[in-house]
Amino acid sequence: MANKREAQTIIVRKTPRGLQPVSGFDAELLMGKALGTEFRLTSLTKRSLPQHRTYWKALSVVCRSTNKWPTPEHLHDALKRACGYITINVMLTGEEFVTTDSTAFDAMNAEQFGEYFNRAMEQLADAIGYDPLHFLDDAA
């Protein structure tokens, strides 16, 4: 329970009608705030495990069917580079080198990974000449 000095958290969900409290308790807390009160919102939506698995399945299927990349991990690295998910680092000698950014669950939230996923699938489709998610149609 929050102490008297700590503000209670109000949880809302974005809907077509705007932000709506997710529970009666949240609605009650929100009604207790004066008009014009400003809030700092932080997304609570978690990464989707099914989307994560779909990404890795697509990479595995593409690697098996094209033989252009030795492993899904190699393709993953290539996609991060193609999508611009890189950091340019500088060694002590002044020489620059590139590392790819992380797509781990603790490095990207759901929105960020969704954006990366869409860009990666577009890049991959351009590289191989077909939809890398075609296996989803086969399952339907």
Side-chain angles (χ1 to χ4, degrees), residues 19-67:
L19 296 176
Q20 300 291 320
V22 298
S23 71
F25 179 70
D26 293 305
E28 187 177 311
L29 289 174
L30 188 59
M31 289 297 293
K33 302 295 180 186
L35 289 176
T37 300
E38 295 178 354
F39 297 88
R40 175 177 290 131
L41 295 175
T42 302
S43 176
L44 299 177
T45 303
K46 303 245 187 295
R47 287 268 299 268
S48 163
L49 189 56
Q51 183 184 41
H52 178 79
R53 292 177 59 80
T54 298
Y55 174 81
W56 284 103
K57 181 171 181 178
L59 273 56
S60 295
V61 168
V62 167
C63 285
R64 274 196 316 271
S65 63
T66 66
N67 292 316

Side-chain angles (χ1 to χ4, degrees), residues 78-133:
L79 286 169
K80 289 191 294 182
R81 290 173 188 276
C83 293
Y85 287 82
I86 60 168
T87 300
I88 298 174
N89 303 282
V90 180
M91 297 194 317
L92 294 175
T93 62
E95 184 179 347
E96 293 182 345
F97 66 99
V98 175
T99 57
T100 55
D101 297 336
S102 176
T103 60
F105 278 75
D106 61 351
M108 286 186 168
N109 63 29
E111 185 177 325
Q112 292 166 328
F113 185 77
E115 181 181 310
Y116 166 75
F117 178 90
N118 292 335
R119 289 176 65 189
M121 292 302 106
E122 286 177 23
Q123 289 285 332
L124 190 51
D126 288 345
I128 61 176
Y130 62 88
D131 181 1
L133 299 174

